[in-house]
Amino acid sequence: MAEDEENYIPVKWIEIYHYCPRIIYFIGVLGFKESEKEYMKEGKQEEELQEEKEKRRKTLLAKRKETVIEKWTNIKIYSQTLKLVGILDLIVKTPQGLKIIDIKNTDQEKLQPGYLYQTAAYALLAQEHFKKHVKSIIIHHVKNNKTFEINLTNQIIQHVHWTIKKINKILEKQQIPKAKNKKQCQGCGYYQLCKAL
Ligand code: SF4
């Protein structure tokens, strides 16, 4: 069934909100699109390459011995209840249950909240689509080979719901969130626009 894309929030926005809520205003209210820089293209290519490798493996993320019973790749899911849409790169069924894998081209030592809640949102889409409980989410950092596996707890689910509410509020009220003065402003693709306001 074809869906009216405009009525759904992209899951990517969950990550963006945690980076800076102001960007949600720029893309969701003003309709701006961040220009894709060279390093962003390279990052995306690396993530796709790793995802392709992962799709062919019989166990989970080379270093783990966990058996994969079944896997699904590149499934676009619309959540009617959350009004959220996203493409899930990789979902696996293991002896422990369903797991959602997200690969990030980063060398960050710690798991970023944006990555955690974005992947948790994918898990909620998978639960609705498969009508099965998702056991955990796995986020793999390619550049330093770090892997985080986190159980999908009620607390995490509640935070995803909270984020969706906050995003909807920005879209409905059309009020620009306060600017943040933090170090990621320097690497933000909206820096010029943001500081000119
Ligand atoms: S420049 Fe800073 S405050 Fe402005 S949108 Fe980017 S991260 Fe947010």
Side-chain angles (χ1 to χ4, degrees):
M1 183 177 73
E3 302 281 349
D4 189 354
E5 199 90 17
E6 283 183 6
N7 295 329
Y8 293 82
I9 291 171
V11 171
K12 176 80 183 157
W13 288 15
I14 304 274
E15 184 207 334
I16 293 173
Y17 181 88
H18 286 88
Y19 184 82
C20 178
R22 212 169 217 225
I23 300 176
I24 298 295
Y25 177 83
F26 292 145
I27 56 181
V29 177
L30 300 185
F32 280 96
K33 215 171 161 215
E34 187 177 17
S35 56
E36 199 171 30
K37 301 195 172 98
E38 212 42 51
Y39 72 87
M40 292 163 87
K41 280 188 204 153
E42 283 168 17
K44 216 184 271 176
Q45 282 165 1
E46 184 57 35
E47 285 170 9
E48 283 167 4
L49 187 74
Q50 293 300 325
E51 280 159 13
E52 281 309 313
K53 280 188 191 166
E54 196 52 38
K55 284 169 194 169
R56 290 194 295 271
R57 285 187 184 122
K58 292 203 165 42
T59 55
L60 203 49
L61 294 163
K63 58 187 176 175
R64 300 160 68 107
K65 300 290 175 228
E66 204 170 350
T67 307
V68 172
I69 301 166
E70 200 172 351
K71 62 173 80 173
W72 298 265
T73 58
N74 300 326
I75 304 185
K76 188 168 191 177
I77 300 176
Y78 292 88
S79 163
Q80 300 300 334
T81 53
L82 300 172
K83 288 291 171 197
L84 210 57
V85 60
I87 298 173
L88 280 76
D89 294 324
L90 189 56
I91 307 161
V92 294
K93 185 177 169 189
T94 74
Q96 285 76 43
L98 281 186
K99 298 187 177 190
I100 309 300
I101 322 288
D102 208 6
I103 293 174
K104 302 288 188 192
N105 189 44
T106 176
D107 59 359
Q108 282 164 325
E109 286 297 312
K110 288 188 180 163
L111 177 60
Q112 301 301 304
Y115 291 168
L116 168 64
Y117 296 114
Q118 179 191 18
T119 312
Y122 283 133
L124 298 185
L125 294 188
Q127 288 195 150
E128 194 171 320
H129 181 78
F130 290 101
K131 299 191 175 30
K132 279 201 172 99
H133 174 68
V134 169
K135 168 92 177 74
S136 63
I137 54 179
I138 298 174
I139 297 134
H140 180 64
H141 290 182
V142 176
K143 286 184 174 171
N144 57 4
N145 202 26
K146 268 196 167 248
T147 305
F148 304 87
E149 177 161 8
I150 295 117
N151 285 335
L152 188 65
T153 61
N154 276 338
Q155 202 183 1
I156 291 176
I157 293 171
Q158 288 313 315
H159 191 81
V160 173
H161 285 270
W162 175 87
T163 311
I164 294 168
K165 267 193 205 152
K166 289 286 191 183
I167 292 173
N168 276 322
K169 201 171 165 196
I170 294 171
L171 301 178
E172 282 159 19
K173 299 218 175 244
Q174 305 204 345
Q175 275 174 358
I176 186 166
K178 281 190 184 134
K180 296 201 172 175
N181 184 16
K182 49 186 183 177
K183 61 176 189 247
Q184 60 255 57
C185 288
Q186 303 304 323
C188 176
Y190 297 90
Y191 185 80
Q192 298 301 338
L193 167 71
C194 185
K195 297 304 165 194
L197 290 175

